[in-house]
């Protein structure tokens, strides 16, 4: 349904998207996860036909977004970063206009707008000017605009930003219910959002895909990793290399010491290794004053942070 | 076509939702009313003088009231149109609503033509309010309908040209003031371009006059319709709209 191949977007001085490829099957909900400035919005702007790519291709519903732009656009409902709402228009009037722009027939536009308002919970503000609404309500109007013409593909750029917790849950439920019938790609930089709504996730950072998997897949891969935290009385600077050399250790980081607290070293190790006794031996023989030694599993949140941390050791999954 | 009308209607409605349209029309009508009153009283005065001395040519209504009245309308429109057109696309860029237009399955030509129509329609509404003056003249004396008709035709073409130029600049920036200033500068330059004509050589003088917005209006104000003038306005409009479409299509948004 969505086919992205080697997409590149170059702004004047920087490459925002660097050879991204992925695909989304019909009915799937894909989470597009990445930190600020990763290139999520840029990719979505290209998919929506708002902006041309510098190189590469993207197909929506079988139509090339550049060569068959009108057909591709007709298949899409798009919620940009900033909801494209006219402040001087009333909610319902705006939604009817947006639906008509997307080819909904005059006689059906009113019903389409009403359905969308219903789904997004904005029926009670339908006669108010959008400029007088709160940010969260504007966001919902933007979302209603994207779904009003019932497009097969939805491209949603941070759909729950600015909403209150109750609304976030409602909108996530709405998005989940739209999946199956609609193919959805949604961007976010908050992990729980992906956990709550998406079947699959593409993680991007600095314009490249760093991971692509089902949610369970990523969790499984990451949660089998463990982290050992050492608390030491003396500065372990000299033995870091030794610790690193222990079989199974994949990454090492020393946190800066605060006054009156022990030195701490975080050691990450691969699946199936128990490095605790080896680490303890090194610390004791170097007489560093081993105070604590804790082992914990990495949460999905940690996994995400790890994925997008520029550290060659941890990037290799 | 349908999409063009959809956009034209929305934009026209926007003018009347905000106070812009009412203020502009009110200011315009106030100025025109003042001019009409003064032209008319000056005309009746000179008619009386003519009756007293019966010397020279009898002052005509066309020469003393109608032509200056519509000529002045042309000047005032030059000042007004940049205010009308500045928001058409610049505002959409600033407010990000242009993303809606650019990602909807519509052609950019529909957007440009729709915007153009909305601005033109506002001016047409404004000009139709001035029909009250020839109607009053009709009850007072016998105006030359050919001249009145010619003036309106000329003014509508001039208005359309102004709107097209204003739309072009509005498509090139997200700053409404910049759009208005550049539109005003361009239009004023096309007015004053013929100033250099009488000092230029014969060929250049023709070229400069050929680009003059007022120059092409003068035939209309005599009640004469010349194809050269029609071609000039049509190509000025077409050229500006094409430029606006290019900017709309190719600029790197967002
Ligand atoms: N118009 C532009 N001109 C130049 N650089 C741009 C432009 N728009 C975006 N960028 C750059 O491209 C990169 C990717 O931006 P993008 O908006 O796609 O990030 P994002 O993943 O959506 O981030 P966020 O989570 O903050 O929304 C950033 O480094 C940004 O500075
Ligand atoms: Mg973004």
């Amino acid at each position: 349904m969505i086919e992205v191949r080697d997409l590149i977007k170059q702004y004047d001085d920087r490459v925002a998207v660097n050879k991204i490829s992925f695909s989304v099957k019909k009915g799937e909900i894909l989470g597009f996860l990445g930190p600020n400035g990763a290139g999520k919005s840029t990719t979505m702007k290209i998919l929506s036909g708002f902006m041309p790519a510098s190189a590469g291709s993207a197909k929506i519903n079988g139509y090339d977004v550049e060569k068959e732009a009108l057909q591709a656009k007709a298949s899409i409902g798009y919620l940009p970063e900033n909801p494209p709402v006219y402040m001087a228009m009333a909610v319902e009037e705006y939604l009817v206009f947006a639906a008509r722009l997307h080819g909904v027939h005059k006689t059906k536009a009113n019903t389409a707008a009403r359905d969308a308002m219903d789904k997004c919970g904005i029926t009670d503000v339908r006669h108010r000017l959008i400029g007088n609404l709160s940010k969260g309500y504007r966001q919902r109007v933007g979302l209603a605009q994207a779904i009003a013409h019932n497009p097969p593909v939805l491209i949603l750029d941070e759909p729950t930003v600015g909403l209150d917790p109750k609304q976030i849950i409602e909108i996530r439920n709405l998005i989940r219910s739209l999946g199956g019938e609609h193919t959805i790609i949604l961007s976010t930089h908050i992990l729980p959002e992906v956990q709550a709504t998406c079947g699959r996730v593409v993680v991007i950072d600095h314009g490249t895909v760093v991971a692509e998997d089902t949610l369970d897949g990523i969790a499984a891969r990451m949660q089998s990793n463990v982290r050992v935290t050492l608390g030491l009385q003396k500065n372990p600077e000299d033995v870091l290399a030794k610790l690193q050399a222990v079989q199974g250790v994949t990454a090492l980081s020393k946190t800066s010491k605060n006054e009156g607290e022990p030195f701490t070293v975080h050691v990450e190790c691969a699946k199936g290794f128990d490095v605790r006794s080896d680490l303890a031996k090194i610390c004791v023989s170097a007489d560093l004053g081993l105070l604590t030694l804790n082992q914990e599993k990495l949460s999905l949140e940690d996994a995400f942070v790890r994925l997008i941390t520029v550290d060659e050791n941890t990037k290799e999954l | 076509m349908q999409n063009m009308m959809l956009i034209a209607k929305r934009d026209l409605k926007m003018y009347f939702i905000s106070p812009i349209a009412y203020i502009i029309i009110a200011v315009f009508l106030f100025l025109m009313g003042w001019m009409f009153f003064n032209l008319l009283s000056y005309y009746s005065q000179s008619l009386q003088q003519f009756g007293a001395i019966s010397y020279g040519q009898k002052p005509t209504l066309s020469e003393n009231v109608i032509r200056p009245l519509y000529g002045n309308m042309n000047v005032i429109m030059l000042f007004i149109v940049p205010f009308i057109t500045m928001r058409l696309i610049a505002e959409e860029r600033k407010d990000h609503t242009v993303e809606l237009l650019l990602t909807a399955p519509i052609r950019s030509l529909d957007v440009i033509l729709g915007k153009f129509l909305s601005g033109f329609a506002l001016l047409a509404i404004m000009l139709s309010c001035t029909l009250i003056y020839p109607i009053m003249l009709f009850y007072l004396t016998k105006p030359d309908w050919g001249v009145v008709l010619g003036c309106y035709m000329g003014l509508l073409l001039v208005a359309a040209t102004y709107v097209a130029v204003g739309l072009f600049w509005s498509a090139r920036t997200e700053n409404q003031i910049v759009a208005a200033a550049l539109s005003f500068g361009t239009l004023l330059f096309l007015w004053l371009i013929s100033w250099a004509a009488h000092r230029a050589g014969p060929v250049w003088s023709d070229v400069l006059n050929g680009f003059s917005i007022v120059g092409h209006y003068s035939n209309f104000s005599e009640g004469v319709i010349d194809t050269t003038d029609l071609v000039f306005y049509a190509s000025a409009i077409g050229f500006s709209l094409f430029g606006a479409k290019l900017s709309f299509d190719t600029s790197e948004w967002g």
Side-chain angles (χ1 to χ4, degrees):
Chain A
M1 211 57 178
I2 304 176
E3 282 281 342
V4 178
R5 190 147 301 142
D6 297 332
L7 212 59
I8 296 177
K9 180 68 194 185
Q10 171 121 35
Y11 288 115
D12 292 338
D13 55 339
R14 68 180 74 230
V15 181
V17 170
N18 195 0
K19 277 206 162 209
I20 279 188
S21 302
F22 62 90
S23 62
V24 193
K25 286 195 281 296
K26 190 172 188 311
E28 211 178 4
I29 304 181
L30 179 83
F32 210 47
L33 189 62
N36 291 132
K40 304 182 294 292
S41 300
T42 305
T43 308
M44 293 182 136
K45 281 176 188 171
I46 295 170
L47 291 183
S48 66
F50 173 66
M51 190 166 76
S54 310
S57 71
K59 278 188 176 178
I60 303 273
N61 206 4
Y63 300 110
D64 189 283
V65 294
E66 242 167 283
K67 296 190 198 85
E68 300 154 297
L70 285 187
Q71 289 99 318
K73 285 175 184 175
S75 318
I76 298 173
Y78 175 49
L79 171 66
E81 256 179 322
N82 305 289
V85 292
Y86 293 102
M87 298 301 173
M89 280 176 112
V91 171
E92 185 169 24
E93 180 191 22
Y94 166 73
L95 290 175
V96 170
F97 173 72
R100 298 269 288 121
L101 267 191
H102 284 90
V104 176
H105 194 263
K106 213 175 187 160
T107 51
K108 295 190 180 125
N110 285 316
T111 329
R114 220 163 300 147
D115 282 351
M117 286 191 293
D118 221 29
K119 284 180 180 158
C120 298
I122 47 175
T123 309
D124 39 328
V125 296
R126 59 200 282 196
H127 297 306
R128 291 186 51 190
L129 289 187
I130 297 174
N132 297 341
L133 297 179
S134 69
K135 184 171 170 349
Y137 268 87
R138 273 182 218 161
Q139 179 75 11
R140 288 194 240 169
V141 175
L143 187 62
Q145 167 273 134
I147 64 174
H149 54 286
N150 199 23
V153 174
L154 285 173
I155 298 176
L156 311 173
D157 200 347
E158 303 190 20
T160 57
V161 86
L163 301 183
D164 63 54
K166 183 166 157 283
Q167 262 303 311
I168 288 181
I169 293 170
E170 279 176 35
I171 294 298
R172 282 179 188 162
N173 287 340
L174 169 65
I175 292 172
R176 252 204 316 271
S177 72
L178 290 170
E181 208 178 313
H182 304 257
T183 306
I184 304 174
I185 163 167
L186 72 89
S187 79
T188 177
H189 36 65
I190 38 180
L191 195 68
E193 181 126 310
V194 176
Q195 283 172 304
T197 44
C198 305
R200 210 156 56 85
V201 57
V202 167
V203 183
I204 72 164
D205 186 34
H206 293 297
T208 54
V209 175
V210 292
E212 181 182 355
D213 205 342
T214 61
L215 210 57
D216 295 340
I218 285 202
R221 273 197 292 178
M222 292 312 298
Q223 282 178 336
S224 60
N225 283 22
V226 290
R227 179 160 74 176
V228 179
T229 307
L230 302 168
L232 304 164
Q233 266 176 335
K234 293 182 194 152
N235 194 335
E237 207 64 66
D238 304 333
V239 297
L240 285 181
K242 259 188 187 167
L243 295 174
Q244 177 82 67
V246 171
Q247 201 186 13
V249 170
T250 55
L252 202 80
S253 63
K254 185 168 83 86
T255 53
S256 55
K257 180 188 183 295
N258 290 328
E259 200 56 47
E261 284 173 26
F263 293 91
T264 49
V265 179
H266 296 293
V267 181
E268 270 164 49
C269 50
K271 206 173 188 169
F273 287 94
D274 193 341
V275 294
R276 279 175 294 182
S277 64
D278 289 338
L279 295 178
K281 243 179 255 165
I282 293 170
C283 293
V284 170
S285 65
D287 194 21
L288 293 174
L290 182 60
L291 299 174
T292 56
L293 191 156
N294 291 322
Q295 174 164 320
E296 62 195 297
K297 284 198 169 180
L298 285 176
S299 68
L300 201 54
E301 199 84 44
D302 291 324
F304 172 51
V305 173
R306 219 96 315 180
L307 275 171
I308 60 178
T309 306
V310 193
D311 181 331
E312 288 316 310
N313 286 323
T314 48
K315 229 177 183 178
E316 291 287 332
L317 279 172
Chain B
M1 186 65 189
Q2 217 179 37
N3 293 326
M4 177 181 84
M5 290 313 290
L6 197 62
I7 286 168
K9 274 190 213 156
R10 195 203 73 87
D11 268 285
L12 186 59
K13 198 173 169 193
M14 286 299 114
Y15 282 124
F16 286 96
I17 282 178
S18 67
I20 304 175
Y22 302 104
I23 290 176
I24 286 179
I25 293 178
V27 167
F28 181 73
L29 289 180
F30 170 77
L31 292 173
M32 290 330 297
W34 178 247
M35 274 175 200
F36 183 64
F37 168 74
N38 280 298
L39 286 168
L40 209 57
S41 41
Y42 183 75
Y43 172 63
S44 66
Q45 207 178 1
S46 39
L47 264 191
Q48 276 168 8
Q49 279 170 4
F50 176 78
I53 52 173
S54 285
Y55 174 77
Q57 252 188 336
K58 187 178 179 218
T60 65
L61 191 66
S62 295
E63 202 50 59
N64 286 277
V65 180
I66 300 178
R67 221 162 277 148
L69 181 71
Y70 289 102
N72 286 329
M73 270 190 212
N74 193 348
V75 180
I76 292 174
M77 279 207 304
L78 178 84
F79 287 91
I80 282 179
V81 170
F83 289 107
I84 291 177
T85 54
M86 63 182 188
R87 55 164 287 274
L88 283 173
I89 293 174
E91 186 183 55
E92 301 240 18
R93 278 183 93 168
K94 185 117 196 151
D95 294 349
H96 298 283
T97 48
V98 72
E99 301 197 22
L100 179 70
L101 300 180
L102 280 166
T103 59
I106 54 177
R107 292 172 308 156
S108 54
L109 188 64
D110 282 323
V111 177
I112 296 297
L113 290 179
K115 298 263 171 195
F116 168 73
L117 269 186
S118 73
F120 180 67
L122 178 60
L123 286 174
I125 291 169
M126 187 175 90
L127 284 177
S128 67
C129 295
T130 66
L131 280 169
I132 184 80
Y133 307 129
I135 290 171
M136 277 163 76
L137 290 180
F138 177 75
Y139 280 106
L140 293 171
T141 61
K142 275 218 306 263
D144 181 339
W145 285 112
V147 171
V148 172
L149 216 66
C151 284
Y152 272 109
M153 250 195 97
L155 280 183
L156 284 174
L157 283 170
V158 165
T161 309
Y162 292 173
V163 171
V165 170
L167 183 63
F168 170 77
W169 285 116
S170 187
R172 293 205 65 87
T173 172
E174 62 169 51
N175 187 323
Q176 296 193 37
I177 304 298
V178 170
L182 289 172
S183 310
F184 182 66
T186 309
L187 292 176
L188 200 58
F189 179 68
L190 288 178
W191 259 71
L192 306 180
I193 198 166
S194 54
W195 281 17
H198 60 274
R199 274 184 288 106
V203 179
W204 278 106
S205 126
D206 278 356
V207 171
L208 290 177
N209 278 324
F211 277 105
S212 166
I213 287 190
V214 244
H216 287 281
Y217 169 76
S218 61
N219 274 335
F220 286 103
S221 69
E222 310 278 339
V224 177
I225 292 164
D226 188 328
T227 36
T228 327
D229 302 327
L230 291 178
V231 168
F232 167 76
Y233 288 120
S235 39
I237 293 167
F239 188 73
S240 304
L241 292 182
F242 180 70
K245 181 185 174 303
L246 274 190
S247 307
F248 190 72
D249 282 342
T250 55
S251 52
E252 289 271 292
W253 303 98

